[in-house]
Amino acid sequence: QVQVVESGGGLVQAGGSLRLSCAASGSGISSNNMGWYRQAPGKERELVAGFFSGGSTNYADSVKGRFTISRGNAKNTVYLQMNSLKPEDTAVYYCTVQRGWSTYWGQGTQVTVSS
């Protein structure tokens, strides 16, 4: 069993900041294989930021320089620090975990940016 839980979403004005948290549990998982996706109304889910098995980090072009993904002190914990938020960042944000060839998703946390 793999469980993924996100938290930290909310309402913020443009230019503000939020930090999302994700905690995962289950055998055979690692923070080296975790990341963040988001989905806005009427749009498909897109990768925001993630760690990959080889140790590399990837960011969407739209968030690079504003968002930072990091590992927590606890095992299988990651954060997404979001700065200089824009209205177009409004979406449901999902934490994901890769185990083997399977992807596990959290339930999502809503981020709304007003302007």
Side-chain angles (χ1 to χ4, degrees):
Q1 294 179 317
V2 175
Q3 295 180 335
V4 186
V5 180
E6 312 100 327
S7 63
L11 175 65
V12 65
Q13 291 185 326
S17 298
L18 286 173
R19 188 174 78 160
L20 306 183
S21 300
C22 177
S25 62
S27 62
I29 62 175
S30 169
S31 61
N32 290 327
N33 298 283
M34 296 178 67
W36 293 92
Y37 285 73
R38 68 184 180 186
Q39 185 172 24
K43 298 182 179 180
E44 296 182 351
R45 289 182 182 179
E46 63 175 345
L47 175 68
V48 178
F51 296 114
F52 298 91
S53 296
S56 62
T57 307
N58 191 37
Y59 292 93
D61 290 340
S62 61
V63 308
K64 197 168 187 177
R66 300 187 297 120
F67 292 9
T68 303
I69 185 172
S70 62
R71 298 180 178 88
N73 292 327
K75 184 180 179 181
N76 301 325
T77 301
V78 297
Y79 300 99
L80 184 68
Q81 179 66 46
M82 304 185 294
N83 297 326
S84 301
L85 283 162
K86 304 175 181 179
E88 48 264 46
D89 294 319
T90 296
V92 177
Y93 284 71
Y94 298 89
C95 182
T96 65
V97 179
Q98 293 284 336
R99 189 181 72 176
W101 293 345
S102 298
T103 303
Y104 300 89
W105 299 80
Q107 294 301 307
T109 184
Q110 176 71 47
V111 172
T112 303
V113 184
S114 63
S115 179

